[in-house]
Amino acid sequence: MSDAFTPIAGRLIRWYARHGRKNLPWQRDPTPYRVWVSEIMLQQTQVSVVIGYYERFMTRFPDLAALADAPLDDVLGLWTGLGYYSRARNLHRAAAVVRDRHGGAMPRGLDALVALPGIGRSTAGAILALSHGDRHPILDGNVKRVLCRYHGVGGWPGEGRVERTLWTLAERHTPREQVAVYTQAIMDLGATLCVRLRPLCAMCPLEADCAARREGAQAKYPAPRPRRETPHRETAFLMLRDPGGALLLERRPPVGIWGGLWCFPECEPDADVEAVCRSRFGVRPATTTALAPIAHGFTHFKLDVYPILVEVDDDDGSTAAGPGEPRRHSSGAAVAGSDGSRRYSSGAAAAGPGEPRRHSSGAVVADSDGSRRYSSGAAAAGPGELRRSSPGAAATGSDGSRNRPLSAVADSGELRWYPPGAAASVGLAAPVKRLIEQLARDR
DNA sequence: AAAGCGGGGGT
DNA sequence: ACCCCAGCTTT
């Protein structure tokens, strides 16, 4: 940062008077309720998209009472397509709180607003600044970008230290008068001129003393989020083969990677294969052979598969887990080991009914060596999978158990022996198909 | 197809 | 205080 204090408010306000957007739906009659709804919607979607949603929302829920009294499904219905549905739930919940505890009027205090679900410091500040003109700074993405460039603030704004710097700067710049206009102005500048790519500096009222402009390094600010390496996970396929050449396959859960497809049973790469075969499948391996590992790329992570060919000669017909099998509970989460090994488990373990879809990255747990890795619970999840909403819960089973990748599947009887040739006719996970073909060739 | 986006919430 | 997350849009 260069300038400790630079009154840019006046320039922004004058610029906004000439070039700012003033006829957006939420700018007409900016009541706290209307500003609130707009701010929540704008957190996740661009202005052009929000407008339609906002107008439909306001038609159906013209005031806070209408929102608070509406069924949640109605709210979610009007939110469909906007994404981030938890924010619609928060909006609805908060409306009820305001109805029940604030007499139906949005509270006029930062702390009271922040106490409402879905409202943080910046959103609370925006509500008070835009609807009442109360002097509160905001720090949304647009403002962050403007401040990072103007002051040459390096580092990723998501980092605590950088964010604190930005809040301090935002606070200093917020004027004592015309707070509402100023707030609109700095957001508008970020949204229309000081955009992430190819900012229109020639038109910017702050160009003369913008640090990034002076450096000719607008693209450097704000610094991007540190790259997180693509999650990399490992699993072992237990390729049980009986003397007739039949292979034991497992149908995967309907959600998750390879959902509904048939796959070899999995276990941890460092598991005791013989013990696993005995306890889980009731068979004793005659031989176990590690085949060449397979690298499989997913959108969100890389998976190394270690296939283990297990020849069995005394299948007792019971492929379900034995009765005394420990470490089983129906909805448990997968757990990270404390030995530092990587794990991978089937998706069923981490899934819970009605829980939100997960995102691309998994939960991170600390390794004993201080590095970070993705826990096995997270490893189970891929696009569209269900998981526990709390990474912590997913990382520690309620009974303290470790992974039990197959227990749910075994319980549901989704294990089958496939005679040679039969497997080719069912839906197979891609690497499974390759392995089966490879086995057929090698015989 | 992959990355960006931004603020809230959980640990 | 730190880290994670959603889900659409953009490149």
Side-chain angles (χ1 to χ4, degrees), chain A residues 67-93:
Chain A
L67 174 61
D69 295 340
L72 173 60
D73 282 348
D74 288 14
V75 182
L76 292 173
L78 284 181
W79 210 269
T80 301
L82 272 179
Y84 293 94
Y85 301 100
S86 69
R87 302 188 190 206
R89 297 174 198 275
N90 284 336
L91 197 60
H92 184 243
R93 267 207 301 153

Side-chain angles (χ1 to χ4, degrees), chain A residues 228-229 342 363-375:
Chain A
R228 193 198 299 274
E229 72 180 52
R342 291 175 185 277
V364 177
V365 295
D367 249 343
S368 51
D369 62 3
S371 68
R372 286 211 208 110
R373 70 194 165 84
Y374 286 79
S375 76

Side-chain angles (χ1 to χ4, degrees), chain A residues 3-18:
Chain A
D3 305 333
F5 178 84
T6 307
I8 65 175
R11 269 176 284 167
L12 282 174
I13 289 171
R14 282 190 295 278
W15 168 82
Y16 180 80
R18 293 188 54 173

Side-chain angles (χ1 to χ4, degrees), chain A residues 371-439:
Chain A
S371 68
R372 286 211 208 110
R373 70 194 165 84
Y374 286 79
S375 76
S376 53
E385 279 184 307
L386 298 170
R387 71 179 290 269
R388 291 177 172 275
S389 54
S390 153
T396 308
S398 59
D399 61 355
S401 68
R402 297 183 24 145
N403 285 355
R404 74 207 79 63
L406 275 182
S407 62
V409 177
D411 286 347
S412 65
E414 295 274 70
L415 286 165
R416 285 180 59 180
W417 285 99
Y418 274 77
S425 64
V426 302
L428 299 173
V432 175
K433 185 175 181 182
R434 285 165 54 191
L435 285 165
I436 290 176
E437 290 166 355
Q438 178 184 326
L439 283 187

